[in-house]
Amino acid sequence: MSAVRVGIHDLSVATAGHVLALDDLAAYDGTDPAKYRVGLGQEQMSVPGPDEDIVTMGAAAALPILHTHGADGIRTLFFATESGVDQSKSAGVFVHELLGLPATCRVVELKQACYSATAALQAAAGLVARNPAEKVLVIASDVARYELDSAAEATQGAGAVAMLVTADPALAEIEPVSGVHTADVDDFWRPNDSVNAVVDGKLSIVAYLDGVIGAWEDFRARGGAPLGEIDRFCHHQPFTRMAVKAHRRLAEHEGVALDEELLAVTTGYNRRIGNSYTASLYLALAALIDADDDLAGRRIGMFSYGSGSVTELFTLVVQPGYRAHTRGAETERALAARTPLDIARYRELHAATHLDSHADLQTAHESSGPFRFTGLTGRARRYARTDA
Ligand code: COA
């Protein structure tokens, strides 16, 4: 086994430029607002404008990391997403260009619903363990979209996380043991001709909870730490209440009581961003390290779930001095900068998303972020940096 310590050296968050308050959605669809606030644990959801997508959010998340560390040593960019913008070209290649990364870099997109950022992180850790001089940029970026007026509508959202994976990480070391679980389930998927996910919400909750136990048992069988040696948990949060369900299932399975209060801090960003699929688990981690100043040396259990379904449980150990490297103020600024939407404009934006690439398109300039999706020419997507 490699003696190299590998993990997350930097972590940065971005989201879309608009926000819808779920109280407004509740008023519109005649739902008790407590169902969304308490039952789902959600307050708001980020909504992309016409010139924003997974590429612009992913590049915006990675930009501060490049400002701090430069691009030296980055030879791989993994882009994890459920909401890919092309059937062939990796969204990461657009990001590579927007960020001005060196040509000597491999770029690939990974897909498995909300899970693939964890596959990317583990693959990144393997590459760095093989050559500790190399760094890997992992980007998880998604727009979670369901049909208007469906039960799933309140669990939409949009967000991105970028992580720099290196040797001797400043934030969190990835421990080598990991538990995995795969089962073919039709709980959530998105056919090629649809911009909205197809979901059996109740089945997805059952499949998620089964996956938690499957991954936990594999983790333990492979020598992973017992529950008593895991100090905090971050669970994938399609809606933040799901973290509590996962925690309860694990506690029941092990026949112990687990402190649910400790989960609250991990929901700080997801409550306001909504579901961000691949980024969701890592938004939970960002919220935890940004808010808690007593994590040095503590072990964090990370539960990743992607419908369809794949689950992985692994652990991180937070590094001494991590507080000096967190980016909570930047994330708060991005959340506060979002433009509030009324229901009419939200529904207009939702309806405007389309798959047709046959006609050239120029998007309205609405985003105040550093990157824009400017439109389509010759069926190809075009992007621009707006702050250069
Ligand atoms: N006050 C407080 N809580 C309320 C409430 C009220 N007035 N009304 C309902 N609730 C609670 C329900 O009891 C339920 O909690 P529980 O699950 O702990 O029992 C919760 O709010 C949701 O209510 P429910 O009736 O089950 O919601 P729904 O059928 O409208 O759909 C989802 C909820 C999550 C299934 C739906 O939003 C969905 O399909 N989302 C997309 C898929 C997804 O996110 N899956 C997660 C796993 S990947």
Side-chain angles (χ1 to χ4, degrees):
M1 191 182 294
S2 166
V4 181
R5 295 185 323 102
V6 178
I8 303 168
H9 191 53
D10 199 351
L11 188 160
S12 164
V13 169
T15 189
H18 300 87
V19 60
L20 181 72
L22 291 192
D23 283 356
D24 292 347
L25 183 63
Y28 174 81
D29 64 20
T31 299
D32 179 351
K35 173 173 173 182
Y36 298 157
R37 277 186 178 269
V38 182
L40 298 179
Q42 293 301 126
E43 283 167 36
Q44 301 174 331
M45 62 191 187
S46 290
V47 180
D51 53 350
E52 295 176 314
D53 65 9
I54 56 163
V55 171
T56 61
M57 289 191 300
L63 190 61
I65 292 182
L66 290 170
H67 279 156
T68 304
H69 306 281
D72 274 4
I74 298 180
R75 288 183 54 77
T76 303
L77 190 172
F78 287 137
F79 196 107
T81 189
E82 181 276 354
S83 35
V85 292
D86 192 277
Q87 296 287 2
S88 170
K89 186 173 179 176
S90 166
V93 172
F94 296 116
V95 172
H96 175 275
E97 170 69 15
L98 288 171
L99 295 175
L101 290 173
T104 50
C105 183
R106 64 169 74 80
V107 180
V108 72
E109 184 171 307
L110 292 90
K111 177 173 68 181
Q112 175 39 50
C114 306
Y115 163 71
S116 64
T118 301
L121 193 62
Q122 294 290 13
L127 286 172
V128 175
R130 189 176 69 179
N131 182 354
E134 289 193 13
K135 299 173 182 173
V136 180
L137 184 59
V138 172
I139 296 176
S141 182
D142 266 305
V143 178
R145 284 175 53 93
Y146 300 100
E147 296 286 345
L148 289 173
D149 306 316
S150 69
E153 185 177 8
T155 59
Q156 299 177 112
V161 166
M163 293 177 276
L164 189 64
V165 178
T166 67
D168 297 323
L171 290 179
E173 181 182 346
I174 301 170
E175 294 196 292
V177 179
S178 149
V180 290
H181 180 85
T182 291
D184 188 355
V185 187
D186 288 339
D187 63 328
F188 165 110
W189 67 100
R190 189 164 62 83
N192 283 346
D193 58 357
S194 180
V195 290
N196 298 323
V198 179
V199 65
D200 179 338
K202 302 291 185 210
L203 178 62
S204 73
I205 293 173
V206 172
Y208 179 127
L209 295 175
D210 288 349
V212 164
I213 300 308
W216 171 254
E217 286 184 342
D218 187 47
F219 175 77
R220 290 290 291 137
R222 298 174 72 84
L227 267 188
E229 291 175 21
I230 302 178
D231 304 300
R232 300 282 191 282
F233 277 95
C234 292
H235 301 285
H236 169 53
Q237 295 170 14
F239 51 94
T240 68
R241 190 75 190 152
M242 192 66 218
V244 175
K245 289 180 190 289
H247 221 48
R248 283 190 185 159
R249 181 59 172 269
L250 190 58
E252 256 170 46
H253 180 75
E254 291 291 292
V256 297
L258 284 177
D259 187 351
E260 290 174 12
E261 296 290 306
L262 290 175
L263 292 179
V265 68
T266 72
T267 67
Y269 297 149
N270 284 307
R271 287 183 76 85
R272 290 186 281 166
I273 287 174
N275 196 355
S276 57
Y277 294 157
T278 53
S280 161
L281 173 63
Y282 299 94
L283 285 176
L285 176 65
L288 177 63
I289 62 172
D290 289 350
D292 189 334
D293 59 9
D294 185 27
L295 293 174
R298 295 203 191 269
R299 178 177 284 128
I300 302 177
M302 301 283 291
F303 259 120
S304 181
Y305 175 74
S307 289
S309 69
V310 179
T311 319
E312 180 160 347
L313 167 66
F314 65 102
T315 50
L316 299 172
V317 176
V318 179
Q319 299 301 289
Y322 73 99
R323 288 296 286 175
H325 305 279
T326 56
R327 296 183 179 275
E330 288 164 44
T331 302
E332 283 301 333
R333 268 199 297 280
L335 288 168
R338 294 175 297 173
T339 305
L341 293 174
D342 61 22
I343 287 287
R345 180 64 182 141
Y346 150 69
R347 289 178 68 93
E348 214 173 80
L349 284 173
H350 195 284
T353 308
H354 68 123
L355 282 172
D356 187 7
S357 66
H358 287 86
D360 283 0
L361 169 80
Q362 204 174 358
T363 58
H365 191 155
E366 285 192 15
S367 171
S368 57
F371 304 100
R372 290 186 61 234
F373 166 53
T374 56
L376 291 160
T377 53
R379 303 198 67 185
R381 294 177 82 84
R382 308 293 172 195
Y383 293 91
R385 183 161 177 171
T386 55
D387 67 343

